[in-house]
């Protein structure tokens, strides 16, 4: 890819915000490295390592496996908790109206989206966690040795409890779009996606091409990250704005006929929400500002890019973050809280770290590596329960006492306001 860096936006972030994003970017990469190397570096990283290109085809440049692995990684995500099964389809979309913002020479913007939907239990076949090429991309991106025990085969085969080709439940369901952290592929929000689907939501898990270790496109290629090498010069406001364009395009495609997805008739196009982790949380807010169809949003442990101004977001917003971070009362979210005009909740989770809101801490634990004080299982449970309760209340009109105040069943969750 000859234009890997040529089109990255050039306006630097404010110093404080850039420092936070460098930390999050570094930890995002090193947590995956810790997952398979046993270094545990993901919980202490403060600098950004150099990223390396990932394999364009499945295993072309995966690490050599001549040395016998010291262990074999086997990952399993928690089963969904709702009454429905989780069906899964992967779709590929091309926005002919917009060149790719990071690699214009690649042509129009291409996106890979995992659709997770309420399904009939006992139908379909187990869905893989990711493609072999996407797994090889992660392994190459963080330069994992063969001795890690993680291979493209076992990383792609993490048990997801989602089922390809499952028979859908009848009726129409709210749509929730999910956006992952900077440098993280879309799959690391699978635990949340499957649980939302089991509770009656259609979920669109968006892979933002060239912004992570690799998303397999319609042509079978899995291109590398084009904006990961130089976060100090990256304008994260522009990345969030670009993601907002991605999401609005995905919503367009899913709510205008059934040509983009065979099951688009399942979507209630009048009830749309969005949640994101880290930079994906910033993208959720940016999308709400730009697209009034998104009626409710969730930012999971992310900075805002940019901070919303009064009057820009008068629809429901949940801010859910780690208590030990800068997301407690008096921190960087204070300005955003004051600007929000609609129904709003600000919750922090004691003992959580940045990855408690994705699949990553659970995968670290399953690899036998150190995890934060909050158990990864609790991180998944809390994230699922509060995000689902929020969308139940704002998209389905179902009141959830969980959002009224502290709960004895969830003593880790602190209400900041």
């Amino acid at each position: 890819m000859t234009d890997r860096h040529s089109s990255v936006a050039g306006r630097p972030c404010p110093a404080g915000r850039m420092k936070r994003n460098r930390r999050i970017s570094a930890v995002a990469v090193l947590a995956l490295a810790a997952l398979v190397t046993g270094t545990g570096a993901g919980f202490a990283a403060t600098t950004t390592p150099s990223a390396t290109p990932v394999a364009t085809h499945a295993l072309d440049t995966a690490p050599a496996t001549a040395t016998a692995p010291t262990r074999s990684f086997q990952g399993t995500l928690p089963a969904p908790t709702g009454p429905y099964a989780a069906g899964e389809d992967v779709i590929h979309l091309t926005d002919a109206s917009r060149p790719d913002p990071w690699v214009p020479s690649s042509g129009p913007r291409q996106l890979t989206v995992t659709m997770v939907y309420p399904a009939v239990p006992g139908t379909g076949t187990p869905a893989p966690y990711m493609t072999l090429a996407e797994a090889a991309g992660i392994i190459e991106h963080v330069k994992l040795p063969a001795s890690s025990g993680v291979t493209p085969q076992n990383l792609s085969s993490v048990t997801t409890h989602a089922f390809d080709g499952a028979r859908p439940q009848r009726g129409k369901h709210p749509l929730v779009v999910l956006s992952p952290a900077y440098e993280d592929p879309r799959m690391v929000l699978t635990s949340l996606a499957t649980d939302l689907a089991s509770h009656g939501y259609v979920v669109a898990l968006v892979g933002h091409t060239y912004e992570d270790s690799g998303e397999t496109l319609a042509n079978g290629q899995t291109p590398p990250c084009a904006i990961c090498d130089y976060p100090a010069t990256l304008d994260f406001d522009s990345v969030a704005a670009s993601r907002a364009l991605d999401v609005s395009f995905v919503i367009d495609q899913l709510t205008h006929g059934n040509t983009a997805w065979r099951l688009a008739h399942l979507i209630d196009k009048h009830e749309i929400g969005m949640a994101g982790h880290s930079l994906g949380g910033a993208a959720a807010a940016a999308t709400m500002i730009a697209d009034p169809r998104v009626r409710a949003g969730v930012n999971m442990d992310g900075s805002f890019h940019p901070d919303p101004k009064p009057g820009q977001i008068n629809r429901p917003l949940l801010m859910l973050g780690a208590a030990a971070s800068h997301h407690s009362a008096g921190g960087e979210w204070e300005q955003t809280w004051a600007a929000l005009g609609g129904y709003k909740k600000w919750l922090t989770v004691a003992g959580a770290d940045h990855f408690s809101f994705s699949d990553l801490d659970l995968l670290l634990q399953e690899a036998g590596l150190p995890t934060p004080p909050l158990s990864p299982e609790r991180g998944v449970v809390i994230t699922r329960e509060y995000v689902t309760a929020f969308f139940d209340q704002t998209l389905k009109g179902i009141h959830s006492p969980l959002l009224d105040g502290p709960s004895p069943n969830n003593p880790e969750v602190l209400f900041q306001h």
Side-chain angles (χ1 to χ4, degrees), residues 72-312:
S72 178
F73 168 72
Q74 292 182 320
T76 301
L77 303 181
T81 62
Y84 308 130
E88 180 177 304
D89 283 333
V90 176
I91 63 174
H92 302 279
L93 304 175
T94 300
D95 185 354
S97 70
R98 181 165 68 114
D100 189 274
W102 315 123
V103 186
S105 62
S106 68
R109 181 67 163 164
Q110 298 182 69
L111 299 171
T112 300
V113 182
T114 299
M115 301 301 304
V116 190
Y117 57 90
V120 176
T123 63
T125 57
Y129 192 40
M130 60 186 73
T131 67
L132 285 171
E134 288 162 343
I138 291 174
I139 291 170
E140 180 66 16
H141 188 64
V142 294
K143 302 183 74 68
L144 304 174
S147 60
S148 68
V150 170
T151 66
Q153 287 79 11
N154 60 32
L155 184 56
S156 68
S157 299
V158 167
T159 300
T160 66
H161 302 283
F163 295 90
D164 283 332
R167 189 164 74 249
Q169 294 285 342
R170 294 181 178 178
K172 290 189 177 292
H173 311 275
L175 172 67
V176 174
V177 182
L178 297 182
S179 181
Y182 171 60
E183 294 193 332
D184 285 355
R186 70 191 190 282
M187 292 72 69
V188 300
L189 294 180
T190 297
S191 290
L192 178 57
T194 56
D195 202 59
L196 283 167
S198 78
H199 287 277
Y201 293 88
V202 172
V203 180
L205 190 48
V206 179
H208 301 281
T209 312
Y210 296 111
E211 297 178 26
D212 59 49
S213 55
E215 308 280 345
T216 299
L217 302 177
N219 61 8
Q221 292 188 332
T222 307
C225 186
I227 63 172
C228 293
D229 286 0
Y230 304 109
T233 61
L234 188 60
D235 180 355
F236 283 91
D237 289 5
S238 292
V239 182
S242 177
R243 288 192 175 200
L245 292 175
D246 287 348
V247 171
S248 289
F249 171 70
V250 170
I251 293 172
D252 287 343
Q253 295 296 296
L254 293 175
T255 57
H256 292 89
N258 295 347
T259 56
W261 181 42
R262 65 186 181 91
L263 299 177
H265 62 275
L266 297 176
I267 295 172
D268 180 349
K269 63 183 180 181
H270 301 294
E271 302 293 345
I272 299 174
M274 181 177 174
H277 176 226
S278 194
L279 182 60
T287 304
M288 290 183 72
I289 293 171
D291 193 333
R293 293 175 298 179
V294 179
R295 296 189 54 193
V298 180
N299 182 346
M300 298 181 291
D301 210 47
S303 301
F304 285 87
H305 296 286
D307 290 315
K309 295 179 174 60
Q312 287 187 315

Side-chain angles (χ1 to χ4, degrees), residues 176 196 201 272-275 284 288 294-300 313 315-320 337 340 342-347 382-404:
V176 174
L196 283 167
Y201 293 88
I272 299 174
M274 181 177 174
M288 290 183 72
V294 179
R295 296 189 54 193
V298 180
N299 182 346
M300 298 181 291
I313 298 181
R315 283 157 282 153
L317 184 71
L318 168 65
M319 302 188 299
L320 178 66
W337 177 260
L340 299 176
Y343 175 77
K344 56 186 179 180
K345 292 292 177 179
W346 178 355
L347 311 179
I382 288 168
T383 300
R384 285 173 156 188
E385 285 189 356
Y386 282 88
V387 172
T388 300
F390 179 77
F391 285 130
D392 279 352
Q393 186 150 315
T394 57
L395 298 181
K396 293 184 177 181
I398 301 172
H399 173 69
S400 175
L402 198 63
L403 298 172
D404 291 342

Side-chain angles (χ1 to χ4, degrees), residues 39 46 181 188 231 271 281 316 326 385 415:
T39 64
T46 56
V188 300
E271 302 293 345
H326 45 279
E385 285 189 356
F415 282 68

